[in-house]
Amino acid sequence: MEIDPELARTVVAVAETGTLDAAARRLHVTPSAVSQRVRALETQIGRPVLHRTRPVELTEAGEAVVRFARQLDQLAADLRAELAPEPTGPLPLTIVVNADSLHTWALRPLVGVSDRVALEVLREDEAHSLALLRRGVAVGAVTTDPTAVPGCSVERLGVMRYLAVCAPDYARRWFADGVDATSLALAPLVAFDRKDDLQARCLRRLTRAAVEPPVHHVPASAEFAEAIRLGMGWGMVPEIECGAEVRAGDLVHVHERAVVDVPLYWQQWRRSSALLREVGDALRDGARVLRLSGTPAAARA
């Protein structure tokens, strides 16, 4: 099937601006011309690419067309850079990384490619990260989902282990008589945000009961861990971040079974550019700090 790049880029403009009128202004054509291009593409592929809502929404076919257009633009940018007689500077790439990975291990390997790639790193939860891949907003994502998005490849990175930890003074106050359903129902905990269920999973593992302790929400990785260090509550912190503090006694591991293992995967466009492959290689190399195996759970955004 031959897809006219101009028609595909018109769908991208409609998706990004939300209406045919706004897309027409961006493309410097009339709304009628935009509508004709969209209809021509739909005729070409034999299915609709847009839901005519306000703002418009992409169909699955529309998402595929947008990925195609953005992949084409990425490959064209790579070719221009390769053929240019002088260095053209870093080329833009948008990827998605969950907050804890970005805070603990993913940023360092990305620094190694930052002179060649102008990165936009989006911090999103695993479900939304895949939606961004499907719509073509991002070219790659660190995710907990091993099922490849259409048009993408997927590779396992490793396992992020989380430990339930708290400050020593907090442990003496709330867990002096042990860690059980009674103490855990009273002891405040710290969650990243309302989508963060790592603490709830740990509670079910420890108590086999429905307990609802007081919850503080601190939606930033560094501040989340700092809130725990200051005694605001207990919470799940990546082992690669808190392991040394636990061994030194600066933090207390709440219980030997208070562990949650989260598998991480790297998904990227299958028709990738050389720069995207370089970013993927850097992340896979940086992920060597992760564990090789563990018990699956859901990741924090």
Side-chain angles (χ1 to χ4, degrees):
M1 181 185 296
E2 294 292 333
I3 303 295
D4 186 327
E6 181 184 45
L7 302 184
R9 291 186 178 105
T10 299
V11 176
V12 172
V14 175
E16 289 181 346
T17 60
T19 67
L20 272 64
D21 288 347
R25 289 192 293 272
R26 173 184 289 191
L27 298 172
H28 305 292
V29 298
T30 66
S32 176
V34 171
S35 181
Q36 290 171 12
R37 291 181 187 180
V38 172
R39 284 200 301 271
L41 180 60
E42 291 177 331
T43 299
Q44 193 174 74
I45 66 175
R47 64 189 71 181
V49 297
L50 298 175
H51 295 296
R52 265 68 171 183
T53 55
R54 196 168 184 89
V56 299
E57 295 180 356
L58 293 170
T59 64
E60 288 188 13
E63 291 176 347
V65 168
V66 168
R67 285 197 304 273
F68 163 78
R70 288 180 168 143
Q71 288 169 359
L72 189 63
D73 288 343
Q74 188 66 57
L75 293 171
D78 274 5
L79 180 60
R80 287 194 298 271
E82 185 176 342
L83 297 179
E86 299 293 337
T88 58
L91 296 177
L93 281 180
T94 300
I95 63 173
V96 192
V97 183
N98 67 306
D100 286 341
S101 292
L102 193 61
H103 178 62
T104 56
W105 66 268
L107 193 59
R108 185 175 296 277
L110 292 176
V111 171
V113 298
S114 60
D115 59 337
R116 296 176 296 286
V117 183
L119 284 168
E120 179 181 11
V121 182
L122 306 179
R123 193 203 71 190
E124 295 289 354
D125 64 68
E126 66 276 12
H128 195 192
S129 69
L130 296 189
L132 294 174
L133 273 183
R134 290 189 191 95
R135 300 204 314 268
V137 174
V139 300
V142 175
T143 175
T144 61
D145 196 332
T147 304
V149 167
C152 293
S153 61
V154 58
E155 183 174 347
R156 194 172 191 272
L157 294 173
V159 172
M160 176 90 83
R161 170 160 289 183
Y162 289 82
L163 305 179
V165 297
C166 64
D169 287 345
Y170 176 97
R172 285 189 286 271
R173 177 182 178 185
W174 294 102
F175 301 137
D177 296 325
V179 177
D180 54 24
T182 300
S183 61
L184 287 169
L186 298 174
L189 64 82
V190 183
F192 189 82
D193 57 23
R194 297 188 183 278
K195 295 180 289 187
D196 177 14
D197 70 346
L198 287 178
Q199 287 71 217
R201 287 174 176 264
C202 184
L203 282 172
R204 288 195 295 270
R205 184 174 185 180
L206 291 177
T207 66
R208 307 290 183 182
V211 295
E212 297 184 2
V215 180
H216 305 290
H217 294 97
V218 183
S221 292
E223 288 77 6
F224 172 87
E226 186 63 15
I228 292 170
R229 294 184 185 99
L230 293 173
M232 183 178 286
W234 69 269
M236 308 300 295
V237 178
E239 182 183 42
I240 55 178
E241 178 180 2
C242 70
E245 292 174 277
V246 171
R247 291 189 292 273
D250 297 325
L251 285 174
V252 175
H253 188 196
V254 168
H255 192 280
E256 62 181 8
R257 291 192 294 112
V259 174
V260 175
D261 288 335
V262 177
L264 295 178
Y265 303 85
W266 170 246
Q267 294 205 31
Q268 69 178 52
W269 287 352
R270 190 175 292 119
R271 296 183 183 90
S272 60
S273 67
L275 283 176
L276 178 54
R277 289 193 295 273
E278 190 172 348
V279 169
D281 290 342
L283 286 171
R284 283 186 289 271
D285 185 63
R288 292 177 182 176
V289 300
L290 301 176
R291 287 176 171 265
L292 297 178
S293 63
T295 302
R300 176 178 294 142

